[in-house]
Amino acid sequence: GVVSGLYRARLAAEMERASLQVSGLLHSALQNAMLKRDLLGLEAIVADLGKDPDIRAVRILNPHFEVRFASDPALVGKVLDSPPVRRALDTRGPLTDLTGAGPDVVRAIRPVPNQPQCRGCHGDMAKKPVNGLLVVDYAAAGLEAETRRSMGLLMLAGLAVIGSSLLASWLVLRRTVLAPLARLAAGTEALAGGRLDHRLAA
């Protein structure tokens, strides 16, 4: 159980790191489209990413947490307000949410900082340091399946080790304790029966 927990934590950490790396690459592509004011291209990038089987949803929020672009058009206009999203906006740093988005979702949240070339549309950097947030939900079903498979293998390995240990212990006990006691009992019975010529085997 302890090893399984550690293994799951390790897998979760690796998935968290990978999700932040992918969201970083996505952020660069989206930022390039934003600077060119290519809104159609931006929508196409978000829609294409949403078709990936490992990605549940892609959203671009404004600083008021309203969804401006999304891989699912039904999400546009909705508000995604949660403590992790607010924390990402306040700290202006990327983070992952492993629990708030659902049991089988890893959510990567990356603020989109304001830059000098963005001032024409988004205003002064000092007053508006963040243009919005990129939120990507990754399917974590693979993590759960890998954890269950690893736990099963660990259990089988543990049972094999315990079974081998019990068998070896029984063989040693039989040879060093049970067999001598059986010989001693046979000698005692022979002596009680009057067979004084009976000898115990060494």
Side-chain angles (χ1 to χ4, degrees), residues 90-117:
D90 292 340
T91 61
R92 303 177 195 170
L95 58 85
T96 54
D97 179 13
L98 300 176
T99 57
D104 57 347
V105 174
V106 175
R107 174 168 288 168
I109 308 165
R110 182 177 290 272
V112 180
N114 198 354
Q115 298 184 37
Q117 57 267 42

mmCIF file with all atom_site columns, all heavy atoms in Angstrom, residues 90-117:
data_model
loop_
_atom_site.group_PDB
_atom_site.id
_atom_site.type_symbol
_atom_site.label_atom_id
_atom_site.label_alt_id
_atom_site.label_comp_id
_atom_site.label_asym_id
_atom_site.label_entity_id
_atom_site.label_seq_id
_atom_site.pdbx_PDB_ins_code
_atom_site.Cartn_x
_atom_site.Cartn_y
_atom_site.Cartn_z
_atom_site.occupancy
_atom_site.B_iso_or_equiv
_atom_site.pdbx_formal_charge
_atom_site.auth_seq_id
_atom_site.auth_comp_id
_atom_site.auth_asym_id
_atom_site.auth_atom_id
_atom_site.pdbx_PDB_model_num
ATOM 1   N N   . ASP A 1 90  ? -3.536  35.545 -9.317  1.00 0.00 ? 90  ASP A N   1
ATOM 2   C CA  . ASP A 1 90  ? -2.876  36.368 -8.300  1.00 0.00 ? 90  ASP A CA  1
ATOM 3   C C   . ASP A 1 90  ? -1.364  36.202 -8.320  1.00 0.00 ? 90  ASP A C   1
ATOM 4   O O   . ASP A 1 90  ? -0.621  37.173 -8.199  1.00 0.00 ? 90  ASP A O   1
ATOM 5   C CB  . ASP A 1 90  ? -3.420  36.015 -6.906  1.00 0.00 ? 90  ASP A CB  1
ATOM 6   C CG  . ASP A 1 90  ? -4.874  36.431 -6.732  1.00 0.00 ? 90  ASP A CG  1
ATOM 7   O OD1 . ASP A 1 90  ? -5.333  37.310 -7.499  1.00 0.00 ? 90  ASP A OD1 1
ATOM 8   O OD2 . ASP A 1 90  ? -5.555  35.864 -5.848  1.00 0.00 ? 90  ASP A OD2 1
ATOM 9   N N   . THR A 1 91  ? -0.895  34.969 -8.458  1.00 0.00 ? 91  THR A N   1
ATOM 10  C CA  . THR A 1 91  ? 0.553   34.713 -8.431  1.00 0.00 ? 91  THR A CA  1
ATOM 11  C C   . THR A 1 91  ? 1.206   34.949 -9.788  1.00 0.00 ? 91  THR A C   1
ATOM 12  O O   . THR A 1 91  ? 2.430   35.040 -9.867  1.00 0.00 ? 91  THR A O   1
ATOM 13  C CB  . THR A 1 91  ? 0.832   33.265 -7.993  1.00 0.00 ? 91  THR A CB  1
ATOM 14  O OG1 . THR A 1 91  ? 0.236   32.355 -8.929  1.00 0.00 ? 91  THR A OG1 1
ATOM 15  C CG2 . THR A 1 91  ? 0.262   32.996 -6.601  1.00 0.00 ? 91  THR A CG2 1
ATOM 16  N N   . ARG A 1 92  ? 0.378   34.991 -10.857 1.00 0.00 ? 92  ARG A N   1
ATOM 17  C CA  . ARG A 1 92  ? 0.863   35.162 -12.234 1.00 0.00 ? 92  ARG A CA  1
ATOM 18  C C   . ARG A 1 92  ? 1.812   34.041 -12.651 1.00 0.00 ? 92  ARG A C   1
ATOM 19  O O   . ARG A 1 92  ? 2.695   34.221 -13.483 1.00 0.00 ? 92  ARG A O   1
ATOM 20  C CB  . ARG A 1 92  ? 1.560   36.516 -12.404 1.00 0.00 ? 92  ARG A CB  1
ATOM 21  C CG  . ARG A 1 92  ? 0.688   37.696 -12.043 1.00 0.00 ? 92  ARG A CG  1
ATOM 22  C CD  . ARG A 1 92  ? 1.455   38.992 -12.164 1.00 0.00 ? 92  ARG A CD  1
ATOM 23  N NE  . ARG A 1 92  ? 0.752   40.081 -11.482 1.00 0.00 ? 92  ARG A NE  1
ATOM 24  C CZ  . ARG A 1 92  ? 1.274   41.276 -11.251 1.00 0.00 ? 92  ARG A CZ  1
ATOM 25  N NH1 . ARG A 1 92  ? 2.515   41.530 -11.657 1.00 0.00 ? 92  ARG A NH1 1
ATOM 26  N NH2 . ARG A 1 92  ? 0.579   42.198 -10.628 1.00 0.00 ? 92  ARG A NH2 1
ATOM 27  N N   . GLY A 1 93  ? 1.621   32.872 -12.034 1.00 0.00 ? 93  GLY A N   1
ATOM 28  C CA  . GLY A 1 93  ? 2.463   31.725 -12.366 1.00 0.00 ? 93  GLY A CA  1
ATOM 29  C C   . GLY A 1 93  ? 1.619   30.511 -12.716 1.00 0.00 ? 93  GLY A C   1
ATOM 30  O O   . GLY A 1 93  ? 0.483   30.374 -12.257 1.00 0.00 ? 93  GLY A O   1
ATOM 31  N N   . PRO A 1 94  ? 2.148   29.596 -13.531 1.00 0.00 ? 94  PRO A N   1
ATOM 32  C CA  . PRO A 1 94  ? 1.391   28.399 -13.913 1.00 0.00 ? 94  PRO A CA  1
ATOM 33  C C   . PRO A 1 94  ? 1.259   27.434 -12.741 1.00 0.00 ? 94  PRO A C   1
ATOM 34  O O   . PRO A 1 94  ? 2.142   27.351 -11.877 1.00 0.00 ? 94  PRO A O   1
ATOM 35  C CB  . PRO A 1 94  ? 2.234   27.794 -15.039 1.00 0.00 ? 94  PRO A CB  1
ATOM 36  C CG  . PRO A 1 94  ? 3.622   28.270 -14.762 1.00 0.00 ? 94  PRO A CG  1
ATOM 37  C CD  . PRO A 1 94  ? 3.476   29.637 -14.156 1.00 0.00 ? 94  PRO A CD  1
ATOM 38  N N   . LEU A 1 95  ? 0.159   26.718 -12.728 1.00 0.00 ? 95  LEU A N   1
ATOM 39  C CA  . LEU A 1 95  ? -0.039  25.696 -11.695 1.00 0.00 ? 95  LEU A CA  1
ATOM 40  C C   . LEU A 1 95  ? -0.978  24.629 -12.225 1.00 0.00 ? 95  LEU A C   1
ATOM 41  O O   . LEU A 1 95  ? -1.608  24.796 -13.270 1.00 0.00 ? 95  LEU A O   1
ATOM 42  C CB  . LEU A 1 95  ? -0.576  26.305 -10.394 1.00 0.00 ? 95  LEU A CB  1
ATOM 43  C CG  . LEU A 1 95  ? -1.891  27.089 -10.429 1.00 0.00 ? 95  LEU A CG  1
ATOM 44  C CD1 . LEU A 1 95  ? -3.091  26.160 -10.303 1.00 0.00 ? 95  LEU A CD1 1
ATOM 45  C CD2 . LEU A 1 95  ? -1.930  28.090 -9.295  1.00 0.00 ? 95  LEU A CD2 1
ATOM 46  N N   . THR A 1 96  ? -1.053  23.525 -11.493 1.00 0.00 ? 96  THR A N   1
ATOM 47  C CA  . THR A 1 96  ? -1.966  22.446 -11.868 1.00 0.00 ? 96  THR A CA  1
ATOM 48  C C   . THR A 1 96  ? -2.935  22.196 -10.726 1.00 0.00 ? 96  THR A C   1
ATOM 49  O O   . THR A 1 96  ? -2.605  22.369 -9.558  1.00 0.00 ? 96  THR A O   1
ATOM 50  C CB  . THR A 1 96  ? -1.207  21.143 -12.186 1.00 0.00 ? 96  THR A CB  1
ATOM 51  O OG1 . THR A 1 96  ? -0.373  20.813 -11.083 1.00 0.00 ? 96  THR A OG1 1
ATOM 52  C CG2 . THR A 1 96  ? -0.370  21.285 -13.429 1.00 0.00 ? 96  THR A CG2 1
ATOM 53  N N   . ASP A 1 97  ? -4.131  21.764 -11.102 1.00 0.00 ? 97  ASP A N   1
ATOM 54  C CA  . ASP A 1 97  ? -5.180  21.427 -10.148 1.00 0.00 ? 97  ASP A CA  1
ATOM 55  C C   . ASP A 1 97  ? -5.497  19.949 -10.357 1.00 0.00 ? 97  ASP A C   1
ATOM 56  O O   . ASP A 1 97  ? -6.020  19.565 -11.405 1.00 0.00 ? 97  ASP A O   1
ATOM 57  C CB  . ASP A 1 97  ? -6.407  22.308 -10.400 1.00 0.00 ? 97  ASP A CB  1
ATOM 58  C CG  . ASP A 1 97  ? -7.546  21.995 -9.442  1.00 0.00 ? 97  ASP A CG  1
ATOM 59  O OD1 . ASP A 1 97  ? -7.302  21.293 -8.447  1.00 0.00 ? 97  ASP A OD1 1
ATOM 60  O OD2 . ASP A 1 97  ? -8.672  22.454 -9.702  1.00 0.00 ? 97  ASP A OD2 1
ATOM 61  N N   . LEU A 1 98  ? -5.169  19.110 -9.357  1.00 0.00 ? 98  LEU A N   1
ATOM 62  C CA  . LEU A 1 98  ? -5.352  17.669 -9.488  1.00 0.00 ? 98  LEU A CA  1
ATOM 63  C C   . LEU A 1 98  ? -6.675  17.179 -8.919  1.00 0.00 ? 98  LEU A C   1
ATOM 64  O O   . LEU A 1 98  ? -7.026  16.018 -9.083  1.00 0.00 ? 98  LEU A O   1
ATOM 65  C CB  . LEU A 1 98  ? -4.205  16.928 -8.790  1.00 0.00 ? 98  LEU A CB  1
ATOM 66  C CG  . LEU A 1 98  ? -2.798  17.219 -9.316  1.00 0.00 ? 98  LEU A CG  1
ATOM 67  C CD1 . LEU A 1 98  ? -1.762  16.496 -8.473  1.00 0.00 ? 98  LEU A CD1 1
ATOM 68  C CD2 . LEU A 1 98  ? -2.675  16.789 -10.766 1.00 0.00 ? 98  LEU A CD2 1
ATOM 69  N N   . THR A 1 99  ? -7.408  18.032 -8.216  1.00 0.00 ? 99  THR A N   1
ATOM 70  C CA  . THR A 1 99  ? -8.617  17.564 -7.543  1.00 0.00 ? 99  THR A CA  1
ATOM 71  C C   . THR A 1 99  ? -9.865  18.351 -7.920  1.00 0.00 ? 99  THR A C   1
ATOM 72  O O   . THR A 1 99  ? -10.948 17.788 -8.025  1.00 0.00 ? 99  THR A O   1
ATOM 73  C CB  . THR A 1 99  ? -8.441  17.631 -6.016  1.00 0.00 ? 99  THR A CB  1
ATOM 74  O OG1 . THR A 1 99  ? -8.115  18.980 -5.642  1.00 0.00 ? 99  THR A OG1 1
ATOM 75  C CG2 . THR A 1 99  ? -7.311  16.709 -5.564  1.00 0.00 ? 99  THR A CG2 1
ATOM 76  N N   . GLY A 1 100 ? -9.736  19.653 -8.115  1.00 0.00 ? 100 GLY A N   1
ATOM 77  C CA  . GLY A 1 100 ? -10.923 20.482 -8.302  1.00 0.00 ? 100 GLY A CA  1
ATOM 78  C C   . GLY A 1 100 ? -11.638 20.280 -9.618  1.00 0.00 ? 100 GLY A C   1
ATOM 79  O O   . GLY A 1 100 ? -12.833 20.560 -9.729  1.00 0.00 ? 100 GLY A O   1
ATOM 80  N N   . ALA A 1 101 ? -10.942 19.786 -10.633 1.00 0.00 ? 101 ALA A N   1
ATOM 81  C CA  . ALA A 1 101 ? -11.556 19.647 -11.960 1.00 0.00 ? 101 ALA A CA  1
ATOM 82  C C   . ALA A 1 101 ? -12.273 18.314 -12.143 1.00 0.00 ? 101 ALA A C   1
ATOM 83  O O   . ALA A 1 101 ? -12.908 18.096 -13.156 1.00 0.00 ? 101 ALA A O   1
ATOM 84  C CB  . ALA A 1 101 ? -10.486 19.808 -13.040 1.00 0.00 ? 101 ALA A CB  1
ATOM 85  N N   . GLY A 1 102 ? -12.179 17.418 -11.190 1.00 0.00 ? 102 GLY A N   1
ATOM 86  C CA  . GLY A 1 102 ? -12.823 16.108 -11.301 1.00 0.00 ? 102 GLY A CA  1
ATOM 87  C C   . GLY A 1 102 ? -11.847 15.008 -10.976 1.00 0.00 ? 102 GLY A C   1
ATOM 88  O O   . GLY A 1 102 ? -10.631 15.206 -10.979 1.00 0.00 ? 102 GLY A O   1
ATOM 89  N N   . PRO A 1 103 ? -12.365 13.794 -10.697 1.00 0.00 ? 103 PRO A N   1
ATOM 90  C CA  . PRO A 1 103 ? -11.494 12.696 -10.270 1.00 0.00 ? 103 PRO A CA  1
ATOM 91  C C   . PRO A 1 103 ? -10.563 12.178 -11.361 1.00 0.00 ? 103 PRO A C   1
ATOM 92  O O   . PRO A 1 103 ? -9.551  11.572 -11.069 1.00 0.00 ? 103 PRO A O   1
ATOM 93  C CB  . PRO A 1 103 ? -12.492 11.613 -9.837  1.00 0.00 ? 103 PRO A CB  1
ATOM 94  C CG  . PRO A 1 103 ? -13.742 11.922 -10.604 1.00 0.00 ? 103 PRO A CG  1
ATOM 95  C CD  . PRO A 1 103 ? -13.785 13.418 -10.742 1.00 0.00 ? 103 PRO A CD  1
ATOM 96  N N   . ASP A 1 104 ? -10.916 12.378 -12.611 1.00 0.00 ? 104 ASP A N   1
ATOM 97  C CA  . ASP A 1 104 ? -10.084 11.856 -13.699 1.00 0.00 ? 104 ASP A CA  1
ATOM 98  C C   . ASP A 1 104 ? -9.588  12.965 -14.623 1.00 0.00 ? 104 ASP A C   1
ATOM 99  O O   . ASP A 1 104 ? -9.417  12.762 -15.812 1.00 0.00 ? 104 ASP A O   1
ATOM 100 C CB  . ASP A 1 104 ? -10.867 10.816 -14.510 1.00 0.00 ? 104 ASP A CB  1
ATOM 101 C CG  . ASP A 1 104 ? -12.163 11.382 -15.083 1.00 0.00 ? 104 ASP A CG  1
ATOM 102 O OD1 . ASP A 1 104 ? -12.550 12.483 -14.651 1.00 0.00 ? 104 ASP A OD1 1
ATOM 103 O OD2 . ASP A 1 104 ? -12.763 10.726 -15.955 1.00 0.00 ? 104 ASP A OD2 1
ATOM 104 N N   . VAL A 1 105 ? -9.363  14.161 -14.046 1.00 0.00 ? 105 VAL A N   1
ATOM 105 C CA  . VAL A 1 105 ? -8.908  15.307 -14.829 1.00 0.00 ? 105 VAL A CA  1
ATOM 106 C C   . VAL A 1 105 ? -7.735  15.988 -14.125 1.00 0.00 ? 105 VAL A C   1
ATOM 107 O O   . VAL A 1 105 ? -7.751  16.168 -12.914 1.00 0.00 ? 105 VAL A O   1
ATOM 108 C CB  . VAL A 1 105 ? -10.053 16.337 -15.022 1.00 0.00 ? 105 VAL A CB  1
ATOM 109 C CG1 . VAL A 1 105 ? -9.538  17.592 -15.707 1.00 0.00 ? 105 VAL A CG1 1
ATOM 110 C CG2 . VAL A 1 105 ? -11.182 15.729 -15.823 1.00 0.00 ? 105 VAL A CG2 1
ATOM 111 N N   . VAL A 1 106 ? -6.718  16.320 -14.907 1.00 0.00 ? 106 VAL A N   1
ATOM 112 C CA  . VAL A 1 106 ? -5.624  17.163 -14.427 1.00 0.00 ? 106 VAL A CA  1
ATOM 113 C C   . VAL A 1 106 ? -5.747  18.491 -15.161 1.00 0.00 ? 106 VAL A C   1
ATOM 114 O O   . VAL A 1 106 ? -5.699  18.536 -16.389 1.00 0.00 ? 106 VAL A O   1
ATOM 115 C CB  . VAL A 1 106 ? -4.247  16.530 -14.709 1.00 0.00 ? 106 VAL A CB  1
ATOM 116 C CG1 . VAL A 1 106 ? -3.135  17.487 -14.318 1.00 0.00 ? 106 VAL A CG1 1
ATOM 117 C CG2 . VAL A 1 106 ? -4.096  15.223 -13.955 1.00 0.00 ? 106 VAL A CG2 1
ATOM 118 N N   . ARG A 1 107 ? -5.934  19.559 -14.404 1.00 0.00 ? 107 ARG A N   1
ATOM 119 C CA  . ARG A 1 107 ? -6.141  20.880 -15.008 1.00 0.00 ? 107 ARG A CA  1
ATOM 120 C C   . ARG A 1 107 ? -4.873  21.707 -14.906 1.00 0.00 ? 107 ARG A C   1
ATOM 121 O O   . ARG A 1 107 ? -4.345  21.919 -13.811 1.00 0.00 ? 107 ARG A O   1
ATOM 122 C CB  . ARG A 1 107 ? -7.299  21.595 -14.304 1.00 0.00 ? 107 ARG A CB  1
ATOM 123 C CG  . ARG A 1 107 ? -7.511  23.030 -14.769 1.00 0.00 ? 107 ARG A CG  1
ATOM 124 C CD  . ARG A 1 107 ? -8.823  23.575 -14.250 1.00 0.00 ? 107 ARG A CD  1
ATOM 125 N NE  . ARG A 1 107 ? -9.940  22.944 -14.956 1.00 0.00 ? 107 ARG A NE  1
ATOM 126 C CZ  . ARG A 1 107 ? -11.205 23.045 -14.579 1.00 0.00 ? 107 ARG A CZ  1
ATOM 127 N NH1 . ARG A 1 107 ? -11.528 23.727 -13.499 1.00 0.00 ? 107 ARG A NH1 1
ATOM 128 N NH2 . ARG A 1 107 ? -12.160 22.458 -15.283 1.00 0.00 ? 107 ARG A NH2 1
ATOM 129 N N   . ALA A 1 108 ? -4.363  22.153 -16.052 1.00 0.00 ? 108 ALA A N   1
ATOM 130 C CA  . ALA A 1 108 ? -3.206  23.044 -16.110 1.00 0.00 ? 108 ALA A CA  1
ATOM 131 C C   . ALA A 1 108 ? -3.711  24.465 -16.350 1.00 0.00 ? 108 ALA A C   1
ATOM 132 O O   . ALA A 1 108 ? -4.479  24.699 -17.278 1.00 0.00 ? 108 ALA A O   1
ATOM 133 C CB  . ALA A 1 108 ? -2.251  22.617 -17.224 1.00 0.00 ? 108 ALA A CB  1
ATOM 134 N N   . ILE A 1 109 ? -3.258  25.385 -15.503 1.00 0.00 ? 109 ILE A N   1
ATOM 135 C CA  . ILE A 1 109 ? -3.705  26.778 -15.585 1.00 0.00 ? 109 ILE A CA  1
ATOM 136 C C   . ILE A 1 109 ? -2.471  27.650 -15.781 1.00 0.00 ? 109 ILE A C   1
ATOM 137 O O   . ILE A 1 109 ? -1.538  27.600 -14.969 1.00 0.00 ? 109 ILE A O   1
ATOM 138 C CB  . ILE A 1 109 ? -4.455  27.203 -14.302 1.00 0.00 ? 109 ILE A CB  1
ATOM 139 C CG1 . ILE A 1 109 ? -5.562  26.208 -13.984 1.00 0.00 ? 109 ILE A CG1 1
ATOM 140 C CG2 . ILE A 1 109 ? -5.010  28.606 -14.437 1.00 0.00 ? 109 ILE A CG2 1
ATOM 141 C CD1 . ILE A 1 109 ? -6.110  26.323 -12.587 1.00 0.00 ? 109 ILE A CD1 1
ATOM 142 N N   . ARG A 1 110 ? -2.473  28.438 -16.852 1.00 0.00 ? 110 ARG A N   1
ATOM 143 C CA  . ARG A 1 110 ? -1.305  29.274 -17.161 1.00 0.00 ? 110 ARG A CA  1
ATOM 144 C C   . ARG A 1 110 ? -1.749  30.693 -17.481 1.00 0.00 ? 110 ARG A C   1
ATOM 145 O O   . ARG A 1 110 ? -2.472  30.904 -18.459 1.00 0.00 ? 110 ARG A O   1
ATOM 146 C CB  . ARG A 1 110 ? -0.522  28.686 -18.327 1.00 0.00 ? 110 ARG A CB  1
ATOM 147 C CG  . ARG A 1 110 ? 0.742   29.451 -18.701 1.00 0.00 ? 110 ARG A CG  1
ATOM 148 C CD  . ARG A 1 110 ? 1.474   28.761 -19.817 1.00 0.00 ? 110 ARG A CD  1
ATOM 149 N NE  . ARG A 1 110 ? 2.057   27.514 -19.379 1.00 0.00 ? 110 ARG A NE  1
ATOM 150 C CZ  . ARG A 1 110 ? 3.269   27.397 -18.843 1.00 0.00 ? 110 ARG A CZ  1
ATOM 151 N NH1 . ARG A 1 110 ? 4.022   28.479 -18.687 1.00 0.00 ? 110 ARG A NH1 1
ATOM 152 N NH2 . ARG A 1 110 ? 3.751   26.228 -18.486 1.00 0.00 ? 110 ARG A NH2 1
ATOM 153 N N   . PRO A 1 111 ? -1.349  31.661 -16.660 1.00 0.00 ? 111 PRO A N   1
ATOM 154 C CA  . PRO A 1 111 ? -1.688  33.057 -16.977 1.00 0.00 ? 111 PRO A CA  1
ATOM 155 C C   . PRO A 1 111 ? -0.997  33.521 -18.255 1.00 0.00 ? 111 PRO A C   1
ATOM 156 O O   . PRO A 1 111 ? 0.108   33.085 -18.576 1.00 0.00 ? 111 PRO A O   1
ATOM 157 C CB  . PRO A 1 111 ? -1.166  33.834 -15.766 1.00 0.00 ? 111 PRO A CB  1
ATOM 158 C CG  . PRO A 1 111 ? -0.964  32.819 -14.694 1.00 0.00 ? 111 PRO A CG  1
ATOM 159 C CD  . PRO A 1 111 ? -0.638  31.539 -15.393 1.00 0.00 ? 111 PRO A CD  1
ATOM 160 N N   . VAL A 1 112 ? -1.681  34.394 -18.987 1.00 0.00 ? 112 VAL A N   1
ATOM 161 C CA  . VAL A 1 112 ? -1.115  35.000 -20.193 1.00 0.00 ? 112 VAL A CA  1
ATOM 162 C C   . VAL A 1 112 ? -0.723  36.433 -19.829 1.00 0.00 ? 112 VAL A C   1
ATOM 163 O O   . VAL A 1 112 ? -1.586  37.304 -19.694 1.00 0.00 ? 112 VAL A O   1
ATOM 164 C CB  . VAL A 1 112 ? -2.136  34.995 -21.344 1.00 0.00 ? 112 VAL A CB  1
ATOM 165 C CG1 . VAL A 1 112 ? -1.526  35.622 -22.591 1.00 0.00 ? 112 VAL A CG1 1
ATOM 166 C CG2 . VAL A 1 112 ? -2.624  33.579 -21.628 1.00 0.00 ? 112 VAL A CG2 1
ATOM 167 N N   . PRO A 1 113 ? 0.576   36.697 -19.629 1.00 0.00 ? 113 PRO A N   1
ATOM 168 C CA  . PRO A 1 113 ? 0.980   38.031 -19.165 1.00 0.00 ? 113 PRO A CA  1
ATOM 169 C C   . PRO A 1 113 ? 0.847   39.097 -20.254 1.00 0.00 ? 113 PRO A C   1
ATOM 170 O O   . PRO A 1 113 ? 0.979   38.809 -21.443 1.00 0.00 ? 113 PRO A O   1
ATOM 171 C CB  . PRO A 1 113 ? 2.450   37.824 -18.773 1.00 0.00 ? 113 PRO A CB  1
ATOM 172 C CG  . PRO A 1 113 ? 2.907   36.681 -19.620 1.00 0.00 ? 113 PRO A CG  1
ATOM 173 C CD  . PRO A 1 113 ? 1.718   35.792 -19.801 1.00 0.00 ? 113 PRO A CD  1
ATOM 174 N N   . ASN A 1 114 ? 0.582   40.297 -19.811 1.00 0.00 ? 114 ASN A N   1
ATOM 175 C CA  . ASN A 1 114 ? 0.546   41.436 -20.717 1.00 0.00 ? 114 ASN A CA  1
ATOM 176 C C   . ASN A 1 114 ? 1.977   41.782 -21.120 1.00 0.00 ? 114 ASN A C   1
ATOM 177 O O   . ASN A 1 114 ? 2.908   41.633 -20.339 1.00 0.00 ? 114 ASN A O   1
ATOM 178 C CB  . ASN A 1 114 ? -0.115  42.630 -20.025 1.00 0.00 ? 114 ASN A CB  1
ATOM 179 C CG  . ASN A 1 114 ? -0.566  43.686 -21.022 1.00 0.00 ? 114 ASN A CG  1
ATOM 180 O OD1 . ASN A 1 114 ? -0.300  43.593 -22.202 1.00 0.00 ? 114 ASN A OD1 1
ATOM 181 N ND2 . ASN A 1 114 ? -1.257  44.707 -20.518 1.00 0.00 ? 114 ASN A ND2 1
ATOM 182 N N   . GLN A 1 115 ? 2.158   42.227 -22.347 1.00 0.00 ? 115 GLN A N   1
ATOM 183 C CA  . GLN A 1 115 ? 3.483   42.559 -22.861 1.00 0.00 ? 115 GLN A CA  1
ATOM 184 C C   . GLN A 1 115 ? 3.413   43.905 -23.575 1.00 0.00 ? 115 GLN A C   1
ATOM 185 O O   . GLN A 1 115 ? 2.329   44.376 -23.920 1.00 0.00 ? 115 GLN A O   1
ATOM 186 C CB  . GLN A 1 115 ? 3.956   41.462 -23.824 1.00 0.00 ? 115 GLN A CB  1
ATOM 187 C CG  . GLN A 1 115 ? 4.094   40.098 -23.174 1.00 0.00 ? 115 GLN A CG  1
ATOM 188 C CD  . GLN A 1 115 ? 4.662   39.090 -24.147 1.00 0.00 ? 115 GLN A CD  1
ATOM 189 O OE1 . GLN A 1 115 ? 5.530   39.400 -24.964 1.00 0.00 ? 115 GLN A OE1 1
ATOM 190 N NE2 . GLN A 1 115 ? 4.161   37.868 -24.073 1.00 0.00 ? 115 GLN A NE2 1
ATOM 191 N N   . PRO A 1 116 ? 4.581   44.513 -23.792 1.00 0.00 ? 116 PRO A N   1
ATOM 192 C CA  . PRO A 1 116 ? 4.585   45.830 -24.461 1.00 0.00 ? 116 PRO A CA  1
ATOM 193 C C   . PRO A 1 116 ? 3.829   45.835 -25.783 1.00 0.00 ? 116 PRO A C   1
ATOM 194 O O   . PRO A 1 116 ? 3.108   46.786 -26.093 1.00 0.00 ? 116 PRO A O   1
ATOM 195 C CB  . PRO A 1 116 ? 6.071   46.118 -24.659 1.00 0.00 ? 116 PRO A CB  1
ATOM 196 C CG  . PRO A 1 116 ? 6.741   45.363 -23.554 1.00 0.00 ? 116 PRO A CG  1
ATOM 197 C CD  . PRO A 1 116 ? 5.943   44.112 -23.371 1.00 0.00 ? 116 PRO A CD  1
ATOM 198 N N   . GLN A 1 117 ? 3.974   44.758 -26.565 1.00 0.00 ? 117 GLN A N   1
ATOM 199 C CA  . GLN A 1 117 ? 3.302   44.718 -27.862 1.00 0.00 ? 117 GLN A CA  1
ATOM 200 C C   . GLN A 1 117 ? 1.792   44.473 -27.743 1.00 0.00 ? 117 GLN A C   1
ATOM 201 O O   . GLN A 1 117 ? 1.079   44.539 -28.734 1.00 0.00 ? 117 GLN A O   1
ATOM 202 C CB  . GLN A 1 117 ? 3.929   43.655 -28.778 1.00 0.00 ? 117 GLN A CB  1
ATOM 203 C CG  . GLN A 1 117 ? 3.933   42.254 -28.210 1.00 0.00 ? 117 GLN A CG  1
ATOM 204 C CD  . GLN A 1 117 ? 5.209   41.924 -27.475 1.00 0.00 ? 117 GLN A CD  1
ATOM 205 O OE1 . GLN A 1 117 ? 5.724   42.748 -26.727 1.00 0.00 ? 117 GLN A OE1 1
ATOM 206 N NE2 . GLN A 1 117 ? 5.728   40.721 -27.697 1.00 0.00 ? 117 GLN A NE2 1
#
